[in-house]
Amino acid sequence: MIKQFLMNLLLCFIWIALTGSMYYLNFLFGFLLGFFILWIMNINETDQRYFYRVPKTAGFVLYFLYEMIVANIQVAYDVITPKYFFKPGIIRYPLNARTDFEINLLATIISLTPGTLILDISNDKSALYIHVMYLKDKDKFIAQLKNGFERRLLEIIR
């Protein structure tokens, strides 16, 4: 999988060298063009993980940016208005992630969104304790994390 990624970057840089323009959109187009070329070349190979993970990674990044923007707007609105809308709470979040890497990455991503903070992890690594600024419904928040960040992250990692 690393071999395909490095080959994709090489094709991208070749595209940038041929066109002579170092812009983000040109880099993105070269990466997508290299991805398509590698996909066509490896269509009969048995290991197709790279070609499933790249679109899922792009989708995860877009989902994370969307959640980050929504959380920032919510916190900014609460700071600007004279009335406070936050309802803080601490929840116990049961984990599907099992390895230290998965748990650490999930905790970091959750903490990066404004309004949430990871407080602790249980001793058996089965749950995270999260401080939430806007906790209206505990079960809805847990379901949102399960179906959002954790599911998408585990699809990429595993």
Side-chain angles (χ1 to χ4, degrees):
M1 192 168 91
I2 294 175
K3 178 180 150 188
Q4 283 104 355
F5 178 70
L6 292 176
M7 185 63 88
N8 198 354
L9 282 180
L10 178 67
L11 290 172
C12 176
F13 289 131
I14 289 171
W15 173 257
I16 289 172
L18 288 174
T19 58
S21 60
M22 294 264 307
Y23 296 111
Y24 294 115
L25 286 177
N26 196 32
F27 178 82
L28 182 64
F29 181 76
F31 189 83
L32 291 174
L33 184 65
F35 180 82
F36 181 71
I37 290 169
L38 287 174
W39 179 66
I40 294 295
M41 289 174 52
N42 294 319
I43 205 158
N44 293 328
E45 296 291 323
T46 57
D47 187 18
Q48 294 286 322
R49 289 180 299 164
Y50 177 73
F51 302 106
Y52 294 120
R53 286 186 181 176
V54 168
K56 286 184 182 198
T57 303
F60 178 77
V61 168
L62 292 175
Y63 178 76
F64 175 73
L65 289 175
Y66 171 77
E67 289 293 325
M68 176 87 79
I69 290 169
V70 168
N72 275 312
I73 290 171
Q74 187 178 23
V75 171
Y77 180 76
D78 200 19
V79 168
I80 291 172
T81 57
K83 184 179 179 206
Y84 292 113
F85 296 102
F86 62 89
K87 296 179 182 175
I90 296 175
I91 65 162
R92 182 181 186 276
Y93 177 72
L95 289 170
N96 290 336
R98 295 291 167 228
T99 65
D100 288 342
F101 178 71
E102 293 171 350
I103 294 170
N104 190 13
L105 197 56
L106 179 65
T108 302
I109 288 170
I110 291 172
S111 289
L112 282 175
T113 56
T116 57
L117 178 68
I118 303 298
L119 298 175
D120 197 13
I121 185 168
S122 64
N123 289 335
D124 61 351
K125 298 180 184 179
S126 65
L128 287 175
Y129 294 96
I130 306 172
H131 179 272
V132 184
M133 263 177 74
Y134 301 98
L135 185 63
K136 295 176 183 161
D137 184 15
K138 175 185 155 187
D139 296 327
K140 184 178 176 184
F141 179 78
I142 290 173
Q144 182 181 2
L145 279 181
K146 284 267 183 225
N147 296 325
F149 286 130
E150 189 172 21
R151 179 184 59 83
R152 293 169 196 252
L153 184 66
L154 293 179
E155 284 177 354
I156 294 170
I157 294 174
R158 291 183 179 166

